[in-house]
Amino acid sequence: MSILENLNNIKQTLPDHVTLVAVSKTKPVSDLMEAYNAGQRIFGENKIQEMADKYEEMPKDIDWHMIGHVQRNKVKYMASFVHLIHGIDNFKLLEEINKQAKKYNRIIDCLIQIKIAEEDSKFGMTASEASEIIQSKDFLELQNIKIIGVMGMATFTDDQNQIKKEFSRLKNTFSELKQLDTKNCKLETISMGMSGDYQLAIDCGSTMIRVGSSIFGSRNYSN
Ligand SMILES: *Cc1c(COP(=O)(O)O)cnc(C)c1O
């Protein structure tokens, strides 16, 4: 099936409150343009340099989401244009994003990545680490970032019960952290669900899904 058909099939099943991020990492600009011409305006990448290159080449009415692990020294390459950074897993990273955003007079939206998987390989904070940061005095001083939600990745497994448990964990953490409403932290987004599990994620409360291979086909490397 074509990228257009894949996109339309997925969009048909999505409730109105769920945002679709088309994950285009490793795919050529021609593939992204197919999705763009089908109406898609939100793209997710997991490497900053690749995202910056695609940003240069593509129309400027696209929202670019950084969904991968972010290295502090590369924040500067996306600070002028990135729309949402999903993988915040430490305070120093927030400080760097704040510093770079300030240079462009921007407020950059961010999601806190919560470690919900039992696997060790996944990044993220615990709920209490996140809560501690949000309530700290240093955090309140960061005027050029805004935390608008949480993000999580479930264990890579076929066990639906396990995935469901992990997604529910993220939903609960969201509800807990949502109470900590500050000037630069207003939680509204739950980013969870990928090609294999987005329907389950939506059932568990997801408001933003990150779908790659079901739109663009499988990638040529394991990621
Ligand atoms: C690659 C990736 C996705 C998309 O994965 P698919 O299984 O291809 O849909 C979603 N989220 C993150 C963080 C990713 O790195």
Side-chain angles (χ1 to χ4, degrees):
M1 272 204 292
S2 69
I3 290 171
L4 170 72
E5 287 169 314
N6 290 340
L7 255 178
N8 285 341
N9 287 341
I10 294 168
K11 281 198 286 195
Q12 263 167 24
T13 68
L14 296 187
D16 283 344
H17 69 276
V18 176
T19 301
L20 172 63
V21 179
V23 176
S24 47
K25 60 191 185 196
T26 80
K27 297 296 176 180
V29 163
S30 56
D31 283 7
L32 278 71
M33 280 310 296
E34 260 187 79
Y36 180 89
N37 289 328
Q40 184 65 25
R41 291 293 181 275
I42 305 177
F43 291 88
E45 291 282 335
N46 71 338
K47 296 210 164 61
I48 294 175
Q49 193 55 57
E50 184 176 342
M51 181 171 77
D53 291 346
K54 287 171 174 172
Y55 164 76
E56 288 300 329
E57 280 189 58
M58 295 199 43
K60 293 297 172 281
D61 61 341
I62 291 171
D63 290 347
W64 291 97
H65 289 205
M66 175 41 57
I67 62 167
H69 186 65
V70 178
Q71 286 170 274
R72 264 204 319 273
N73 60 351
K74 292 194 176 150
V75 171
K76 55 179 177 281
Y77 302 119
M78 64 174 170
S80 68
F81 70 91
V82 68
H83 187 78
L84 181 62
I85 300 174
H86 288 235
I88 304 299
D89 63 356
N90 66 81
F91 184 70
K92 279 195 158 152
L93 177 58
L94 272 181
E95 285 183 311
E96 176 64 14
I97 295 167
N98 187 71
K99 180 175 141 196
Q100 298 297 335
K102 205 171 199 155
K103 291 185 182 164
Y104 298 96
N105 210 3
R106 300 184 66 211
I107 295 175
I108 297 182
D109 287 344
C110 298
L111 305 178
I112 288 188
Q113 183 165 359
I114 302 291
K115 185 170 164 32
I116 54 172
E118 256 134 55
E119 281 178 289
D120 265 346
S121 61
K122 301 282 196 287
F123 294 103
M125 301 189 208
T126 63
S128 60
E129 282 165 347
S131 147
E132 205 170 297
I133 286 176
I134 294 168
Q135 294 181 86
S136 71
K137 216 169 107 259
D138 290 344
F139 174 76
L140 254 186
E141 279 163 21
L142 305 180
Q143 294 176 359
N144 293 80
I145 56 105
K146 190 172 177 200
I147 304 291
I148 63 157
V150 294
M151 178 267 209
M153 288 175 85
T155 302
F156 189 70
T157 171
D158 287 331
D159 182 348
Q160 297 295 300
N161 279 328
Q162 164 129 18
I163 297 173
K164 197 171 165 187
K165 203 170 78 189
E166 295 178 357
F167 283 157
S168 304
R169 200 174 279 162
L170 187 60
K171 166 78 179 173
N172 290 340
T173 303
F174 170 82
S175 306
E176 194 183 308
L177 297 176
K178 195 173 159 59
Q179 328 249 350
L180 308 172
D181 209 45
T182 72
K183 222 170 102 190
N184 52 355
C185 177
K186 298 213 183 319
L187 265 50
E188 54 200 31
T189 298
I190 304 178
S191 166
M192 62 182 183
M194 322 196 334
S195 290
D197 56 21
Y198 71 85
Q199 265 128 349
L200 183 55
I202 292 169
D203 291 342
C204 294
S206 172
T207 68
M208 184 174 277
I209 59 173
R210 310 175 307 266
V211 179
S213 40
S214 291
I215 298 173
F216 296 106
S218 58
R219 289 175 295 272
N220 282 332
Y221 74 118
S222 60
N223 197 59

